[in-house]
Amino acid sequence: QEDTLSLSGIIRNPLNQLNINNEPVNIIGKNFNKVIELNAGLNLIKIEGSKLDWQGKKDFSRTIYRKVVRLTPITLSVDSPLDGYYTNKDSIIVSGMAAGYGDITVRINGREVFLDGSKFTSQEELQEGRNIIKIEAVRGSEKVVKEITVIKDTIVPRLGVISPDDAYISNKSTVHITGEILDSIPVLVYVNNKPSHVNGFSFDNQLTFIDGFHDITVKMVDLAGNQSEYEFSIIVDTNPPADFQVFADPADWTNNTQPILTFETVDETSGISHYELAVDSGLFKEVSSPYKLPVLSDGEHEITIKAVDNAGWETTAETRVYIDTTPPTVPDYFKAVPGDERVLIRWQESIDSDVVRYRIKRRPEWADSNDRYVSAEKTIIGEDDYNFEYIDSEVEKDQEYTYYIQSVDRA
């Protein structure tokens, strides 16, 4: 395996000149010594002895050859598989090259394999888990060894805890998806075909959606080629419920201290979760339509209804209710003055500002059995104590009539 060869000997008469590989060699006495550089492999060394005359011309020569093989170290390379390779197959092809002069034998895990020139290929069986593949190239006492590790894994990756849950409702268009990977080897994770960031055995991803229902597929592929998929759905809703109105019954002034409210709206994406009510800017509480208000005090009350959808968005609507449970006072100076085929009824306006009309009753009743009403806005000009009047022309001669009057307020 040396890269030079020392060539020595004796040159005998009548030869008096020596060339080795066409280069002159110095002769001392009859002895010579020459160091020859060798190439890898076969080297053919030409040794030529010549008889020169007194003029230096060649009379004759004799040539011999020597064959020297320079053996270089064995080179062993493994092309496939790479060290640390993962696979889910039952066997694997091991291939590579063993180069060097001379007879080289290649063994894989102790079994001799066929060497085609300098190339070898062999199919090796694998066991679940870590497999050590030992490749040896041997030439006489010389041996080169390489070991590679192949991991066989036939277990598919599984998904642990994942967020969000199935049927999750998001009120944002960008949804953050995270999960736990259950596998013993590294795994690539794709969410709707978008690569995820994997940190150890957890992953995270972000997707952006328009409003509506969306299917999400989480695909996991480990380095051995095993894969699994998990599918779930979410709803994205970035808009509040539709505007709506609240209706109160009664809608105007009333002596009913518990008006009934009706209300309804829609949310096209996530749907309505519930409604909440607040009276006069108080605390909200959950209600449903129709809703009977709690007993309210006299006066105006602001009612706020909040519609909340399943994504948490809110739309509010307002109305007012008017409560009056205090009856107005009876008008003063009420009198009935009989006349020619008529009775003139006069009275003083009520001292209550919320009176809207006056009711007049008669005994016996009028022919239509209905009472008579006079608007509180209609006044007459007359005596100081009497500024309202009603003329009853539906009377009969010699008939006695009794009249009653009531103040009617806005309730």
Side-chain angles (χ1 to χ4, degrees), residues 19 74 137 199 249 275 316 336:
N19 290 315
I74 301 172
N199 183 13
D249 183 22
Y275 297 91
T316 58

Side-chain angles (χ1 to χ4, degrees), residues 76-87:
L76 175 62
S77 61
V78 181
D79 300 329
S80 177
L82 297 176
D83 187 33
Y85 182 74
Y86 290 89
T87 182

Side-chain angles (χ1 to χ4, degrees), residues 170-174 209-211 236-240 269 309 311 313:
S170 172
N171 57 15
K172 297 179 180 178
S173 58
T174 298
F209 301 95
I210 62 173
D211 278 20
V236 174
D237 182 4
T238 61
N239 293 297
T269 305
D309 67 18
W313 294 108

Side-chain angles (χ1 to χ4, degrees), residues 377-391:
E377 296 179 357
K378 182 180 180 183
T379 61
I380 64 171
I381 300 174
E383 302 174 36
D384 291 340
D385 292 335
Y386 304 97
N387 53 8
F388 281 88
E389 72 173 13
Y390 177 76
I391 299 174

